[in-house]
Amino acid sequence: MRLLKKINHDKQLVLDGGLATTLEGYGCNLNSSLWSSEVLVHQPEKVKQAHQEFVDVGADIILTSTYQASFDTFKSIGMNTEEIEHLFDIAVDSITTTTTDEQVIVGSLGPYGAYLSDGSEYTGEYEISVEEYVAFHEDRINALINRGIYDFVFETVPNINEIKAIVEYIIPNYSDETTFWISCTVNDEGQLSDGTDFEQVCQFIRLHLDRVPVFGINCSSVQGVNQAIKRGLLSLPQVIALYPNGGKTYDPEKKVWIGTSENDQLTQNTKQWLEQGVQIVGGCCETTPKDIKEIRSLI
């Protein structure tokens, strides 16, 4: 089923959880610049297993294993175009063979900061040209469209200029057959990760309902999400999607999550968010199928 049809059909939807976290639970080593795409390269059967687990616990929306799978990422480790195209075959096959018409498959598109592999998706401390943003994102979008994926989410976007490049220069290049949503990261004060006032983000997104019918926050703390709500997130005309992380902080040097888990707060706050009208809920890094099962039980 397509994303907008599913949104119109069901009042509340459950997104899947942390793919990388679930893969680590299988014993996969993700300590590399490829992150979960490392498993796509070497243990693709594990990716399929993770998708199946999220389907089994009741997720309505399943994200492809392509968050880190940009052409630039794979070329940086010496892969040629033919090899990269084959990995997209594997990624799409892994998700289409584990889902039914009841689930929505959404292409996961990490920000430019994810390619840098230095934690920039949580700081937004990078600046490239509009042309570079377009080239970076479009190769992967086109690869997924060529394999039958037409719903997409730009995830963990921390930078206002990247958000503007996506909305003004990337999304307009595609037909109405494709649907895009944007999910950003915020700090614990509810500001965009690059420091931009969240009110400013909302002012911009509000103007582009036709291009961005779904907007939200992912891989941020529950506290940060609640602060963004106070700053106007729920006043937007878009469908809102919230899928925070498990509460820990990412260490980009060691490529591990540190700190204390707050998965129990995720479940408790999800109930409140649903009552406030949030339509899509789920989890991100450090959340597992168990967490998604608990969120499913709230609906």
Side-chain angles (χ1 to χ4, degrees):
M1 187 180 294
R2 292 293 305 277
L3 177 63
L4 294 183
K5 183 177 180 180
K6 188 73 168 177
I7 286 172
N8 291 330
H9 184 268
D10 294 330
K11 183 178 179 182
Q12 297 167 330
L13 299 172
V14 179
L15 185 65
D16 59 12
L19 177 62
T21 302
T22 304
L23 292 171
E24 286 177 325
Y26 299 157
C28 301
N29 182 8
L30 276 61
N31 195 346
S32 81
S33 62
L34 295 182
W35 210 1
S36 55
S37 292
E38 182 78 27
V39 185
L40 191 62
V41 174
H42 299 293
Q43 296 173 282
E45 73 283 354
K46 296 295 185 182
V47 174
K48 184 174 180 179
Q49 181 182 346
H51 289 322
Q52 187 65 63
E53 270 212 79
F54 285 118
V55 170
D56 290 345
V57 297
D60 300 296
I61 301 171
I62 309 293
L63 303 185
T64 61
S65 55
T66 53
Y67 174 85
Q68 194 79 355
S70 70
F71 277 68
D72 288 349
T73 301
F74 288 130
K75 287 177 179 177
S76 71
I77 62 168
M79 297 182 71
N80 60 41
T81 300
E82 184 178 350
E83 291 171 324
I84 298 170
E85 292 283 354
H86 179 60
L87 285 177
F88 278 94
D89 289 335
I90 294 172
V92 173
D93 179 71
S94 296
I95 199 166
T96 56
T97 56
T98 54
T99 54
T100 71
D101 289 340
E102 293 299 310
Q103 288 85 41
V104 178
I105 297 173
V106 174
S108 172
L109 308 169
Y112 187 81
Y115 158 67
L116 298 175
S117 192
D118 61 358
S120 292
E121 59 264 62
Y122 305 109
T123 65
E125 294 178 356
Y126 54 88
E127 192 59 59
I128 61 175
S129 68
V130 167
E131 292 77 15
E132 288 172 309
Y133 279 128
V134 172
F136 173 77
H137 284 295
E138 284 195 344
D139 281 345
R140 178 173 39 176
I141 295 170
N142 295 339
L144 289 168
I145 288 176
N146 290 339
R147 290 159 178 80
I149 306 298
Y150 297 100
D151 294 308
F152 296 93
V153 54
F154 294 93
E155 297 188 273
T156 329
V157 185
N159 184 304
I160 187 62
N161 288 328
E162 186 166 13
I163 290 175
K164 289 181 176 180
I166 289 168
V167 174
E168 296 176 344
Y169 295 96
I170 296 176
I171 294 176
N173 291 338
Y174 294 91
S175 73
D176 293 340
E177 287 298 307
T178 53
T179 300
F180 295 93
W181 105 53
I182 295 176
S183 184
C184 64
T185 56
V186 296
N187 59 29
D188 285 347
E189 287 70 48
Q191 307 286 29
L192 194 65
S193 290
D194 69 351
T196 301
D197 286 342
F198 198 75
E199 291 88 346
Q200 180 182 337
V201 178
C202 289
Q203 288 172 6
F204 176 77
I205 291 296
R206 181 186 304 279
L207 301 175
H208 298 286
L209 177 61
D210 56 333
R211 297 180 183 179
V212 187
V214 182
F215 181 77
I217 297 171
N218 76 292
C219 219
S220 304
S221 67
V222 168
Q223 176 184 338
V225 170
N226 284 331
Q227 289 299 316
I229 288 174
K230 292 179 180 179
R231 295 180 185 277
L233 175 63
L234 300 188
S235 70
L236 291 173
Q238 279 83 0
V239 169
I240 301 301
L242 300 178
Y243 51 118
N245 59 34
K248 296 182 180 179
T249 302
Y250 186 66
D251 183 331
E253 293 186 5
K254 297 181 180 178
K255 294 185 173 21
V256 295
W257 291 88
I258 58 175
T260 304
S261 172
E262 57 180 29
N263 293 54
D264 56 335
Q265 291 187 39
L266 171 61
T267 306
Q268 293 167 10
N269 280 266
T270 295
K271 183 177 180 180
Q272 173 183 314
W273 297 332
L274 291 169
E275 291 170 349
Q276 291 175 304
V278 174
Q279 191 167 351
I280 300 174
V281 291
C284 202
C285 293
E286 294 296 297
T287 65
T288 67
K290 178 178 179 293
D291 297 304
I292 301 308
K293 185 177 182 179
E294 291 181 4
I295 290 173
R296 174 84 261 173
S297 70
L298 298 174
I299 298 179

